[in-house]
Amino acid sequence: MMYTADDVMKIVKEQEIEFIRVEFLDYAGLIRGRTIRPDNLRDAMERGINFSTAIMSFDSFDEYIPNPMYGAGDGDFFAVPDPATFVILPYRRKTARMLCDLVDENGDPWPGCPRHALKRLLKEVESVMGGRMYMAYEQEAYLLREENGRLVPADDSHCFSPDGVDIQEDFVQSFVHALEAMGVRTEQISSEYGPGQLEVNLRYTHALQATDDQVTFKQVFKQIARDKGLIGTLMPKPFEHLAGSGLHVHISLYNDAGENLFADNTDPRGLDLSEKAYHFIGGLLKHGRSLIAIGAPSINSYKRMRPGTWAPAHICYGAGNRSVLVRIPEKRRTRRFEFRGGDGTCNPYLLSACLVAAGLDGIHNRIHPGEPASDDVSWLTEAQMQERGIARLPRTLEEAVDSLSQDTILAQAIGREIWEEYIKIKRTEWEKYTRHVSDWERRLFAQRF
C-alpha cells in the first residue's frame, strides 16, 4: 500500500508505535540509520534527519577511507523517510521502519543518494522506452551456527530437498511471515546446493519497490536468524568447498496496457524477445565488467565467480543457460531476462540503477548482444572464447573496479559523486585485503621456508 505522511501518522497513533527506525544504505551496502520517537516523525518526513556526509566515506570494515570526498567540514545531508516504505516490524515490539531518500540543506535531492539515482533513471525509462521497468530479486543465503568457535552450516540438507525447509521450519516460516507482514511477497523458497543454504525468490514488482524489497530481505534474513540462535549470511563464498551464494535480478518492461515490451513471438532468433530486449541485453554485456564491480563488490565475491561453479565468469547471454552473465528463461515462462552477476554484499539501489543505466545505453545506441551461447561456456579455451567474441569477467575486485573507473557512461548515469567515492571505497578495501596475512599463509610458508 502506498501510504501518505498523514496515513503514517494515523497508523502510528492507532497501533501505538513507540519507535520508528529511519534507514538508508551507504555505498558499501551497509544499513545506516537512527531510531526516532513518534513526536519527531512528522518533522522527519518534512525536513529529514541529519547525518554527517562523512558516513558515506566509510568502507565495509566500518572505517573512514583515506582521501575521502566527504569530511568533517562538509556538513550534513538529511534522510527523509518515504511514507510509501512504512512498515511495522512484526519481530520487534511497537517498532516501525521507513526507508529514506537523501536531500541537501535546501531540500533538493542530494547528489550522493543512490535511491534517488535509481528513481531518476526509472523516470528516464518511462520517457525513452514507453513502459515501466519491473524487477524481481532472487537471493541465495546460508544459515550458520557456531560450533567450537567455528561457523558451520546450520544443517546437512541437500539441493532441492524438502529436508532443509523442514529442518529450518521455525526459521523459514517466521522469515516468510515477517516479510509478508512487511509487504514483501515471496514466490518460492527452497534448499539450495550447499548444506544450510536457502534460495528465496521475491515476487516481481516495479523496480523501485523490488529494490526496496531486497533491502528489507537483507535486514530481515539476518535478524530473524539471530532471533532463532542462528547466523544468517548473504556472504558470497563462506566456505571454500561449498557452493557460493549469488543474487540474480530478473528484469522486464511493461506499458500501461500491460503489454510486455520485451516480448516478440516473431523473433527470428527463436527466443521470443523484442529488439528493445536485445539492445538492453547488449548494454548489460557492454558494461558487464563494470556491473560486476557494483553487483559483486566484496573481496570475497570473486572466490564465487569461477568457471565451472554455476556462477557467471564470462560476458555473454543465452537461453536457459546458467553459465552466462545474462540468462533468458525458457519460453514456457514470461519473457524477461536475468542478470546473474550480483551477490548479497551489494547495495541494491546502486545495482538496480546501474543495470538500468547500462540497458538504456544499449537502447540509445542499439547495441546488439551477438549470438546467444547455447553451451556451457565455462569450459571454453582462450582461443575458443576469442573466436566467439566472449570475454572473461574480472577475476578480482581490483580488476572489476579498474573497469568501473573507466566507465564514464555509468559515472554520468548514477552521478560522479557516487561513482568516484564508491571507487575509492572499493580500492581501499582491496588494499586492506592485499596487506592481510591469513592463517592459511602462515601455516604454509612458516613451515616451508
Side-chain angles (χ1 to χ4, degrees):
M1 181 177 292
M2 299 292 287
Y3 293 124
T4 66
D6 288 339
D7 293 331
V8 169
M9 296 303 300
K10 181 180 179 182
I11 295 169
V12 166
K13 182 177 181 180
E14 290 177 347
Q15 298 296 321
E16 299 181 340
I17 300 299
E18 296 183 3
F19 303 97
I20 302 96
R21 299 177 180 178
V22 293
E23 300 174 345
F24 60 93
L25 265 65
D26 67 9
Y27 301 150
L30 300 176
I31 296 174
R32 308 285 183 178
R34 301 187 195 273
T35 298
I36 63 174
R37 300 283 275 164
D39 289 348
N40 299 327
L41 179 56
R42 174 72 74 175
D43 186 65
M45 288 189 287
E46 293 176 354
R47 299 169 58 85
I49 303 293
N50 70 297
F51 287 85
S52 169
T53 56
I55 194 62
M56 301 303 269
S57 295
F58 278 61
D59 62 20
S60 297
F61 301 92
D62 213 24
E63 296 175 350
Y64 198 41
I65 65 171
N67 303 312
M69 179 180 295
Y70 308 114
D74 290 303
D76 293 350
F77 60 71
F78 298 82
V80 179
D82 182 348
T85 69
F86 176 86
V87 291
I88 297 173
L89 299 182
Y91 49 87
R92 293 293 178 264
R93 291 177 297 184
K94 297 185 180 300
T95 301
R97 185 222 64 185
M98 301 176 74
L99 299 173
C100 297
D101 292 310
L102 309 181
V103 304
D104 63 19
E105 60 182 350
N106 299 316
D108 297 321
W110 185 57
C113 177
R115 192 171 189 262
H116 175 70
L118 174 59
K119 292 166 77 171
R120 174 172 46 78
L121 285 161
L122 290 175
K123 287 183 180 179
E124 185 177 347
V125 167
E126 293 183 20
S127 64
V128 170
M129 301 173 67
R132 300 185 77 202
M133 184 136 287
Y134 286 74
M135 292 183 177
Y137 274 77
E138 176 186 323
Q139 178 72 63
E140 297 165 341
Y142 272 91
L143 290 174
L144 309 177
R145 58 185 172 84
E146 190 168 346
E147 184 178 274
N148 299 323
R150 296 171 55 247
L151 294 180
V152 299
D155 60 65
D156 295 322
S157 58
H158 51 279
C159 190
F160 295 154
S161 166
D163 291 348
V165 179
D166 281 348
I167 295 168
Q168 303 300 340
E169 178 183 46
D170 187 30
F171 167 84
V172 169
Q173 295 194 4
S174 296
F175 172 63
V176 172
H177 290 157
L179 285 181
E180 291 180 350
M182 297 170 71
V184 179
R185 295 190 54 190
T186 55
E187 288 276 298
Q188 57 188 22
I189 184 167
S190 57
S191 293
E192 251 299 331
Y193 196 10
Q197 187 184 35
L198 297 170
E199 180 181 76
V200 181
N201 296 65
L202 301 183
R203 183 172 176 78
Y204 80 95
T205 185
H206 180 248
L208 178 62
Q209 179 65 59
T211 309
D212 286 341
D213 288 350
Q214 175 63 14
V215 173
T216 299
F217 179 103
K218 284 168 66 81
Q219 190 173 51
V220 175
F221 190 85
K222 295 181 71 66
Q223 292 185 351
I224 296 294
R226 187 183 304 126
D227 290 348
K228 303 298 182 183
L230 300 170
I231 296 169
T233 182
L234 281 61
M235 179 180 179
K237 189 71 172 173
F239 301 102
E240 179 180 351
H241 300 296
L242 297 179
S245 292
L247 174 63
H248 308 149
V249 186
H250 296 257
I251 304 171
S252 55
L253 183 71
Y254 288 85
N255 63 18
D256 291 339
E259 180 185 4
N260 186 344
L261 301 183
F262 281 164
D264 182 358
N265 58 15
T266 66
D267 176 11
R269 301 172 191 87
L271 299 182
D272 287 359
L273 293 177
S274 67
E275 284 301 298
K276 272 191 175 73
Y278 281 111
H279 293 151
F280 198 103
I281 293 170
L284 295 180
L285 299 187
K286 172 186 171 182
H287 295 278
R289 292 176 63 84
S290 301
L291 291 173
I292 289 299
I294 299 292
S298 74
I299 51 179
N300 183 254
S301 299
Y302 299 84
K303 297 179 180 179
R304 181 184 79 90
M305 293 190 300
R306 304 181 67 83
T309 62
W310 289 50
H314 300 80
I315 303 175
C316 54
Y317 78 107
N321 190 339
R322 286 179 169 81
S323 68
V324 298
L325 181 62
V326 179
R327 173 177 170 263
I328 317 299
E330 291 77 8
K331 288 195 291 185
R332 186 180 179 90
R333 305 170 72 184
T334 304
R335 290 297 79 200
R336 62 181 186 272
F337 40 83
E338 170 192 31
F339 178 82
R340 297 175 56 80
D343 65 52
T345 61
C346 75
N347 179 320
Y349 297 115
L350 286 179
L351 178 56
S352 290
C354 287
L355 290 174
V356 172
L360 282 170
D361 183 39
I363 296 288
H364 288 313
N365 293 290
R366 300 183 63 83
I367 300 171
H368 199 277
E371 293 303 312
S374 58
D375 52 342
D376 186 347
V377 296
S378 63
W379 301 109
L380 296 180
T381 65
E382 292 294 331
Q384 290 171 326
M385 287 168 51
Q386 187 172 5
E387 181 181 346
R388 293 170 59 174
I390 296 175
R392 274 290 303 264
L393 285 171
R395 304 184 191 193
T396 65
L397 177 60
E398 180 185 40
E399 193 180 334
V401 173
D402 284 345
S403 294
L404 179 62
S405 69
Q406 299 172 36
D407 199 324
T408 56
I409 292 175
L410 287 192
Q412 181 178 356
I414 65 173
R416 283 194 169 265
E417 293 90 343
I418 297 173
W419 178 72
E420 289 179 9
E421 199 68 352
Y422 182 87
I423 288 171
K424 282 191 283 186
I425 287 169
K426 293 304 161 183
R427 290 201 191 283
T428 298
E429 292 177 4
W430 176 257
E431 177 62 25
K432 288 179 179 178
Y433 174 65
T434 62
R435 296 199 306 265
H436 174 69
V437 180
S438 66
D439 289 340
W440 178 80
E441 291 173 279
R442 261 189 295 275
R443 287 195 303 269
L444 176 63
F445 293 107
Q447 293 292 336
R448 295 194 179 191
F449 297 96

